[in-house]
Amino acid sequence: MPLSSTCPLEQRPALFLHQSGAQAPCGWTVGEERAAALAATLKAAPNVLVLEDDGIGPAAMEPAASIGAHLPGRTVLVRSYSTSYGPDLRIAVVGGPREVVERARVLRTFGTGWTSRILQDALAHLLTDDATTRQVRAAARRYGLRRTALATRLAAHGVPTANRDGLMLWVPVADETSALVTLAARGVTVSPGSRFCVAYSRPHVRIATSRLTEDPGALDETASLIALAAFASAGRMD
């Protein structure tokens, strides 16, 4: 949301939803200055609830600043632990104003879904276990090294990326379809950037980096292939 524009607020929205940390797919993290500026803008719309979506949790390298530090009575944080502690957990923790959290709890209680108490207890144990915490932090550092290793090699090929955190790279390409076809022809699957945007000025693809090889030679080859796809244009797919 541009800080200079109040136009979205003039439409009287009910909710401001944003990813404060390791935003997917760009890998940006909200800092203290940005959080304070957003809070100052949102103060003009007292009926707007702020929902912070943290989909990566402890797998992020950098802590994100929260709008809740400025608007505690209107900010709800939903933090998923499925990425950092295992997808089988399928669980998140919600924190925020008591009345808002209670409304969500009641609605869920009378719905068709529920959260397993066994999984809740399992997560509570993992979050308080020192050995598990160290392992998760070590994994986060390793994910960061893999992402950075590929980003550095892409930059050497003239393909810039700006991800600072997270488990992916947001790679600019000349033509989305050409890039997808070029990579698919070589057995590589990536996500089209158009899935993540309402509109954008330049096409991108999203590349997952968490399971990248750490072999330097294989990484060089991967970067060369991605660069080839990045420069492929419609009507000319190498």
Side-chain angles (χ1 to χ4, degrees):
M1 180 173 66
L3 296 180
S4 60
S5 174
T6 58
C7 182
L9 297 180
E10 291 174 355
Q11 303 301 314
R12 303 182 67 181
L15 180 73
F16 175 63
L17 169 65
H18 81 129
Q19 292 177 299
S20 55
Q23 186 267 351
C26 297
W28 300 335
T29 295
V30 174
E32 295 290 347
E33 184 177 348
R34 175 65 172 171
L38 285 170
T41 300
L42 289 164
K43 281 182 180 179
N47 294 323
V48 176
L49 182 69
V50 179
L51 179 58
E52 295 182 332
D53 176 16
D54 180 5
I56 193 171
M61 290 295 295
E62 300 179 15
S66 174
I67 294 176
H70 308 276
L71 301 175
R74 294 166 48 193
T75 304
V76 176
L77 171 65
V78 179
R79 174 168 293 153
S80 171
Y81 288 93
S82 298
T83 299
S84 51
Y85 285 87
D88 291 331
L89 278 175
R90 311 302 296 174
I91 194 169
V93 173
V94 180
R98 180 186 297 273
E99 61 182 58
V100 177
V101 174
E102 178 63 12
R103 285 171 59 191
R105 187 195 68 80
V106 170
L107 286 172
R108 187 165 178 79
T109 298
F110 290 97
T112 57
W114 68 92
T115 302
S116 164
R117 290 189 179 275
I118 294 175
L119 294 182
Q120 291 182 58
D121 289 342
L123 177 61
H125 169 73
L126 292 171
L127 289 175
T128 55
D129 181 70
D130 291 339
T132 302
T133 299
R134 289 193 296 271
Q135 188 171 359
V136 170
R137 295 310 301 162
R141 288 191 293 271
R142 196 160 185 177
Y143 291 149
L145 290 173
R146 291 173 180 174
R147 184 191 68 253
T148 301
L150 180 59
T152 300
R153 286 167 169 79
L154 287 175
H157 284 282
V159 181
T161 56
N163 296 65
R164 299 177 182 176
D165 207 341
L167 309 177
M168 62 195 70
L169 284 176
W170 186 236
V171 180
V173 296
D175 180 79
E176 181 183 285
T177 301
S178 299
L180 294 173
V181 172
T182 298
L183 291 171
R186 291 159 175 80
V188 178
T189 301
V190 300
S191 297
S194 54
R195 289 183 181 176
F196 302 90
C197 303
V198 176
Y200 56 13
S201 58
R202 181 174 181 181
H204 287 71
V205 295
R206 191 209 71 170
I207 298 178
T209 58
S210 62
R211 299 184 65 183
L212 281 174
T213 178
E214 296 179 12
D215 176 73
L219 272 175
D220 289 340
E221 184 178 349
T222 300
S224 296
L225 176 56
I226 295 172
L228 175 68
F231 292 113
S233 58
R236 180 182 174 276
M237 291 176 280
D238 296 320

